[in-house]
């Protein structure tokens, strides 16, 4: 009887360890499949915004296409039509889809 109780206690300890290992495995899966790719995407966008130069085509968060005319500390002056410029925050600028597609094609031809 005593050995049966000891076996049950040992099995209970192993079950607790297995539960902890499963939780760690689930956290690792979430990190590598959800969190890490999102961090990479955010880093790429941040690097793009920091590297914007005058004359580059961009799209605002509101969907307005234009060309960067002036780069300031926290804003850009974007020309959206001849002689029509707007000032927008750096956080609301994205790469023009046409430029992104051209960059992707250039990378493929370099390989």
């Amino acid at each position: 009887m005593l050995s049966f109780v000891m076996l049950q206690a040992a099995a209970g300890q192993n079950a607790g360890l297995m539960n902890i290992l499963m939780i760690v495995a689930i956290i690792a899966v979430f990190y590598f499949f959800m969190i890490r790719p999102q961090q990479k995407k955010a880093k790429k966008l941040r690097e793009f915004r920091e590297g914007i130069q005058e004359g580059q085509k961009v799209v605002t968060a509101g969907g307005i296409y234009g060309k960067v005319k002036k780069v300031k500390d926290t804003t850009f002056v974007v020309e959206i039509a001849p002689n029509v410029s707007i000032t927008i925050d750096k956080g609301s600028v994205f790469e023009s889809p046409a430029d992104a597609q051209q960059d992707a094609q250039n990378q493929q031809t370099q390989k």
Side-chain angles (χ1 to χ4, degrees):
M1 184 73 163
L2 182 62
S3 62
F4 180 70
V5 172
M6 292 174 89
L7 285 174
Q8 281 185 336
Q13 289 175 352
N14 287 339
L17 182 63
M18 290 301 290
N19 286 339
I20 291 172
L21 289 175
M22 288 299 290
I23 290 171
V24 169
I26 289 170
I27 291 170
V29 167
F30 272 110
Y31 176 77
F32 284 108
F33 287 107
M34 295 179 76
I35 297 169
R36 191 163 182 242
Q38 188 67 24
Q39 289 175 339
K40 283 185 175 185
K41 190 183 231 184
K43 182 181 178 184
K44 182 179 175 185
L45 181 60
R46 186 173 47 253
E47 288 173 354
F48 166 75
R49 287 178 177 159
E50 291 171 359
I52 291 178
Q53 300 173 353
E54 293 179 7
Q56 192 168 353
K57 293 180 181 177
V58 294
V59 179
T60 68
I64 299 172
Y65 288 72
K67 185 184 284 189
V68 176
K69 286 296 180 186
K70 191 180 231 183
V71 179
K72 297 183 181 180
D73 289 338
T74 59
T75 60
F76 296 113
V77 175
V78 178
E79 184 178 48
I80 58 175
N83 298 323
V84 178
S85 296
I86 58 174
T87 302
I88 56 171
D89 186 65
K90 283 188 175 184
S92 65
V93 174
F94 299 94
E95 188 172 13
S96 171
D99 289 345
Q101 186 177 17
Q102 185 178 13
D103 289 344
Q105 289 174 350
N106 290 342
Q107 288 177 355
Q108 288 178 353
T109 57
Q110 290 176 357
K111 289 182 181 181

